Amino acid sequence: MTDVVNRLTQLPPEKRALVVSKLPPMSFAQQRLWFLNQLEPASHFYNVPAFLRLSGRLNVSVLERTLNEIRRRHDVLRTTFAAVDGQALQIINPPVHIPLPFVDLSTLLEEEREAETQRLVKEELRRPFDLSLGPFLRVALVWLGGEEYVALVTMHHIITDAISIGVLIKEVATLYEAFAAGRPSPLPKLEIQYADYARWQRDWLQGEVLEQHLDYWKQQLGDVTELQLPTDHPRPAVQSHRGASRFFTVKPKVTQAINRLARQEGATLFMTLLAAFQTLLHRYTSQDDIAIGTGIANRNRAEIQGLIGFFANTLVIKTVFAGDPTFLNVLRQVRELSLGAFAHQELPFERLVQELQPERDASRSPLFQVLFQLQNTPTSSLELSGLRISEVGAQSRTAKFDLSLLMIETPEGLHGALEYATDLFEASTIERLAIHLQTLLSAIAKQPQLRVSELPLLTEEERGQLARWNETGRDYALDKCVHQLFEEQVERTPDAAAVIFEHEEISYRELNGRANQLAHYLTDLGVGPEVVVGLCVERGFEMVVGLLGILKAGGAYLPLDPSNPLARTAFMLEDAGVAVLLTREHLSAALPAHWGQTVFLDAEWDEIAARSPENLPAHAAAGNLAYLIYTSGSTGRPKGVMVEHRSLTNYLSWASDFYGAAELRLSPVHTSVGFDLCVTSLYPALLRGGAVRLLAEGEELEGLREVLQGAEPALVKLTPSHLRALGAGAGA
């Protein structure tokens, strides 16, 4: 074919245009696959395989003659593709005899033969086609010894579809029987070829006809939204099409009930299963508009029924779940949408994408990301005299979309296959989705009048597990506050190290005494229940003393990061109604003016230390405010969250049991006092007799590495950004 294109390009423009005008155009579907192939010419993504095991007396020369007759009979099997002067063209090559490749494995041991056969199957799956050279029907015969063979049959999707496979199988059977018996081909001459269909499609789909179809689809899909499935992994920037499959079977009784429901509603099995699948996706995503693609044979003219070629089209059906409809209402909606889509099936999907022009995104397919297909037509079987035919199992390990559901109706019931992108989903997630679909179908079969939100998805085992997970009731000190629990720990371990900072440490007794002195001082200033006290200090002993002192006085603390912008701190002080602000003298210049009183924990400590180190009577109750903490404000004004003592005590009671004494023996604090990670790192250790290690400003990463590399267990709270920073510093 390359020679043909070269000769064309050497012709004068007028003559070249005349010759090009006589060449058939690609169909819309072929043009799309050809374009994708230009982007990734070495891809095997659109290979269509069929690997068959043949047992019996096979006449190899007759099979070779049969395949060559089929290539002669169907021009599309001898077609190659090219773009000339910007036009996407088919170039039909003359028939040539192609020998049937023969691989002899008969001399190998049985296990070696099987291993080599599987290797050949995988190799054939991955072998790309060259669209400029062809041929696009590849057949090789592997002899296993005796009367055992494997036929490796591969076609490119650009010249075939599911119906075409059936046509090929039927013609192979007919021709092989005739040639084996010494008779000529009994097949009638084809009235038209695929190239004639491509010309007709281009000529027909214009003007008013095109506008009618486009108007319908633009009305249906003009506002289609991307389906946001909950994935296990972030979506890659470019689809790799790596995939896997999970197979399942629907119980025969459920299949029968679904069929009855379809008949009662004047729908088809396809419509009912599509409605069920869309219901499942609605429940998974909480999106009201669920758009799914589905393939259609698109052979609605008698002349093309017996042709090999790419006729199949893709339709997109968008179902709306707003208002929590019943499943029966969803099914009726899907029925009407499907009938409308079938009536406008001849608009090629490629032409629709071109018209709607969705935003280009290499990470997902346009207009839909999930496909549904029902195969309920009898599968063509290849019956050759004296031969038993069985399929050789081979998975392509590809996925055209995020998720595809193929359902096959058999006399034994419905069989399903979920093909999924392994870049997005784990096998266990798809396993669970398959179970949820079966559970949903069983519920629909019994109670289709339920609203979609009422239809169960979970199995009995999952519901039991969910109940166990939600058994969070526990006994804890309902009437005690955090500082009281700390005081009880002081009694148990008064001399143990409570806080370590740089090269110093203070014991539980000393920490409790300092906090009590501050609490007495604050009560003299009027601090009590529901009075908010700001605390703006760097990590150090004053931070922990300040937090406990405020709580012991009955007040609620507002943590303030000294590095915050002045405007943010001013807003928080005003918004929280801070009555007293605790800080250090050197930070005063960076703090805004406010209506409350400012106390410098360093400059005024001698006065504070003159107060009693003894515990105070309980001022605050479990229902009083313990602290306020503000959001980052990255999406607007910061918002304050009010946390009561009972909520904090509840969390710390759980943490104390969950982590255990060993893990709480050491807990590094490496974040600002204004970050909630400080709360979860600080208090659990102090209520179980552990030591809190405060990491100095600017030395957080070194301190964390030291703790993580130490021999003693520790409770280390990290965010993903901390992990990245630790990894980068370690050369990871």
Side-chain angles (χ1 to χ4, degrees):
M1 192 282 296
T2 304
D3 292 340
V4 175
V5 175
N6 288 337
R7 290 199 299 272
L8 278 173
T9 57
Q10 293 171 7
L11 292 173
E14 298 81 5
K15 193 169 185 179
R16 184 169 67 246
L18 179 62
V19 174
V20 167
S21 68
K22 297 180 182 296
L23 294 174
M26 297 183 203
S27 68
F28 288 108
Q30 285 181 324
Q31 184 173 332
R32 177 170 178 267
L33 289 191
W34 179 84
F35 174 74
L36 293 174
N37 182 261
Q38 304 309 298
L39 298 177
E40 196 173 355
S43 172
H44 63 276
F45 182 56
Y46 287 100
N47 286 12
V48 180
F51 302 137
L52 304 174
R53 188 178 293 272
L54 314 176
S55 302
R57 303 180 68 176
L58 175 66
N59 189 322
V60 177
S61 63
V62 169
L63 180 60
E64 181 178 299
R65 180 185 173 192
T66 296
L67 293 170
N68 278 287
E69 170 60 18
I70 291 174
R71 290 189 183 98
R72 183 206 64 77
R73 177 176 166 77
H74 293 273
D75 289 356
V76 73
L77 297 178
R78 294 179 279 107
T79 298
T80 50
F81 304 90
V84 180
D85 292 344
Q87 298 186 54
L89 301 172
Q90 302 186 59
I91 299 175
I92 301 172
N93 300 281
V96 293
H97 183 85
I98 299 178
L100 177 61
F102 188 84
V103 181
D104 184 357
L105 302 182
S106 62
T107 59
L108 301 179
L109 297 174
E110 181 177 355
E111 57 270 21
E112 293 175 332
R113 289 198 302 269
E114 288 301 319
E116 180 63 11
T117 300
Q118 287 300 319
R119 188 193 68 78
L120 291 171
V121 164
K122 292 177 182 177
E123 183 180 87
E124 178 61 26
L125 274 172
R126 298 189 181 99
R127 188 155 66 101
F129 286 92
D130 186 334
L131 298 192
S132 66
L133 295 177
F136 302 118
L137 168 61
R138 289 198 305 245
V139 183
L141 193 64
V142 180
W143 182 33
L144 304 179
E147 295 184 339
E148 296 293 324
Y149 302 85
V150 170
L152 308 179
V153 183
T154 313
M155 303 173 76
H156 193 284
H157 197 13
I158 201 168
I159 55 95
T160 192
D161 55 20
I163 300 296
S164 297
I165 300 297
V167 173
L168 176 67
I169 290 173
K170 183 178 179 181
E171 291 197 356
V172 166
T174 302
L175 290 171
Y176 182 89
E177 294 284 354
F179 294 163
R183 300 191 304 269
S185 168
L187 297 175
K189 182 180 178 181
L190 295 171
E191 296 181 19
I192 65 171
Q193 294 287 343
Y194 184 82
D196 300 314
Y197 164 79
R199 282 196 184 95
W200 169 85
Q201 184 191 53
R202 295 277 181 172
D203 293 340
W204 174 77
L205 201 60
Q206 298 183 46
E208 186 177 344
V209 172
L210 175 61
E211 290 304 317
Q212 285 180 342
H213 285 286
L214 284 176
D215 287 346
Y216 172 81
W217 286 111
K218 284 193 285 189
Q219 181 180 355
Q220 294 296 316
L221 304 175
D223 59 347
V224 69
T225 56
E226 295 173 348
L227 192 63
Q228 301 293 338
L229 284 171
T231 61
D232 298 308
H233 308 291
R235 183 178 296 277
V238 178
Q239 285 179 293
S240 73
H241 297 298
R242 288 187 290 267
S245 298
R246 196 280 184 187
F247 303 93
F248 63 94
T249 301
V250 179
K251 294 178 181 178
K253 287 185 178 180
V254 176
T255 301
Q256 295 165 10
I258 293 294
N259 269 308
R260 282 196 302 272
L261 174 62
R263 290 193 296 270
Q264 291 167 6
E265 291 299 316
T268 63
L269 179 61
F270 165 83
M271 297 170 185
T272 311
L273 292 174
L274 174 59
F277 190 36
Q278 288 183 305
T279 297
L280 179 70
L281 297 177
H282 163 68
R283 292 284 296 277
Y284 264 57
T285 64
S286 298
Q287 291 177 245
D288 285 341
D289 294 354
I290 304 295
I292 289 186
T294 186
I296 190 166
N298 199 29
R299 296 188 184 228
N300 48 11
R301 288 173 172 77
E303 309 95 283
I304 61 177
Q305 293 297 326
L307 287 183
I308 293 174
F310 186 8
F311 297 94
N313 194 17
T314 302
L315 307 179
V316 183
I317 298 177
K318 185 186 75 174
T319 302
V320 178
F321 286 84
D324 193 19
T326 67
F327 180 78
L328 287 177
N329 285 336
V330 172
L331 176 55
R332 291 160 188 162
Q333 181 187 169
V334 170
R335 177 184 179 276
E336 296 306 312
L337 291 170
S338 299
L339 292 174
F342 298 155
H344 296 85
Q345 65 178 277
E346 290 180 325
L347 180 73
F349 177 75
E350 296 75 20
R351 186 66 180 81
L352 176 61
V353 172
Q354 179 183 339
E355 180 69 24
L356 294 180
Q357 293 187 339
E359 183 178 349
R360 286 187 175 273
D361 185 351
S363 71
R364 67 184 77 223
S365 59
L367 300 186
F368 71 94
Q369 292 78 52
V370 175
L371 184 82
F372 170 71
Q373 195 75 36
L374 172 65
Q375 182 179 315
N376 54 9
T377 55
T379 303
S380 299
S381 58
L382 178 58
E383 296 181 0
L384 306 180
S385 59
L387 284 173
R388 296 185 307 278
I389 313 297
S390 60
E391 189 172 357
V392 177
Q395 292 192 33
S396 64
R397 295 291 179 184
T398 61
K400 292 182 174 65
F401 306 100
D402 292 358
L403 183 67
S404 298
L405 171 62
L406 170 65
M407 300 293 288
I408 302 175
E409 187 180 18
T410 70
E412 295 77 31
L414 283 168
H415 297 281
L418 282 164
E419 180 186 89
Y420 61 97
T422 51
D423 284 345
L424 300 177
F425 301 104
E426 292 291 332
S428 57
T429 298
I430 302 302
E431 168 80 18
R432 190 163 56 250
L433 187 145
I435 293 172
H436 290 169
L437 178 59
Q438 294 172 77
T439 304
L440 179 63
L441 287 171
S442 298
I444 288 170
K446 295 175 184 175
Q447 295 179 292
Q449 73 281 2
L450 290 179
R451 296 190 178 276
V452 294
S453 64
E454 299 170 332
L455 290 165
L457 299 184
L458 304 182
T459 63
E460 290 290 340
E461 181 181 355
E462 286 177 317
R463 285 197 291 271
Q465 180 65 68
L466 191 61
R468 290 190 293 274
W469 282 340
N470 284 321
E471 289 175 355
T472 57
R474 59 177 295 107
D475 294 328
Y476 70 97
L478 291 170
D479 58 339
K480 291 184 179 179
C481 299
V482 176
H483 56 280
Q484 293 173 302
L485 297 175
F486 169 72
E487 290 168 358
E488 292 177 359
Q489 184 60 44
V490 172
E491 293 297 320
R492 291 191 290 270
T493 57
D495 298 318
V499 181
I500 303 169
F501 180 59
E502 295 182 332
H503 302 294
E504 298 182 53
E505 64 180 51
I506 57 174
S507 67
Y508 273 82
R509 180 186 289 113
E510 186 176 358
L511 174 60
N512 189 53
R514 292 188 191 181
N516 286 335
Q517 290 169 330
L518 177 59
H520 284 293
Y521 184 83
L522 291 175
T523 56
D524 291 345
L525 297 179
V527 174
E530 306 303 316
V531 174
V532 180
V533 179
L535 179 64
C536 183
V537 292
E538 301 103 333
R539 284 188 298 278
F541 294 128
E542 289 97 340
M543 183 186 84
V544 185
V545 170
L547 294 173
L548 291 172
I550 295 168
L551 294 176
K552 284 170 172 284
Y557 66 83
L558 169 67
L560 297 165
D561 190 335
S563 65
N564 275 343
L566 194 65
R568 174 180 169 85
T569 301
F571 169 79
M572 294 166 64
L573 290 170
E574 180 67 26
D575 191 58
V578 171
V580 178
L581 174 61
L582 304 182
T583 185
R584 290 172 61 90
E585 193 169 30
H586 75 276
L587 296 173
S588 60
L591 291 171
H594 72 104
W595 62 271
Q597 183 172 350
T598 299
V599 176
F600 297 116
L601 293 175
D602 50 353
E604 300 177 45
W605 184 253
D606 288 343
E607 185 179 351
I608 296 170
R611 301 305 197 271
S612 171
E614 299 301 320
N615 291 336
L616 287 74
H619 291 300
N624 287 127
L625 192 63
Y627 67 92
L628 290 87
I629 194 162
Y630 277 74
T631 62
S632 65
S634 57
T635 58
R637 288 188 3 162
K639 296 178 178 62
V641 178
M642 306 170 71
V643 181
E644 296 178 350
H645 277 279
R646 65 162 59 95
S647 300
L648 183 56
T649 303
N650 188 10
Y651 163 74
L652 294 173
S653 179
W654 166 85
S656 180
D657 288 346
F658 181 80
Y659 295 123
E663 288 81 0
L664 295 173
R665 192 173 302 164
L666 178 64
S667 181
V669 174
H670 56 93
T671 63
S672 160
V673 67
F675 190 28
D676 57 1
L677 205 61
C678 180
V679 173
T680 59
S681 299
L682 179 69
Y683 293 121
L686 290 179
L687 300 191
R688 287 297 296 268
V692 173
R693 179 175 173 181
L694 305 177
L695 303 182
E697 308 286 337
E699 299 178 9
E700 293 89 348
L701 292 180
E702 292 78 3
L704 284 172
R705 289 194 187 95
E706 184 179 327
V707 172
L708 291 170
Q709 293 168 2
E712 294 296 322
L715 173 65
V716 182
K717 294 293 191 77
L718 299 172
T719 64
S721 59
H722 291 133
L723 286 172
R724 284 193 295 271
L726 285 168

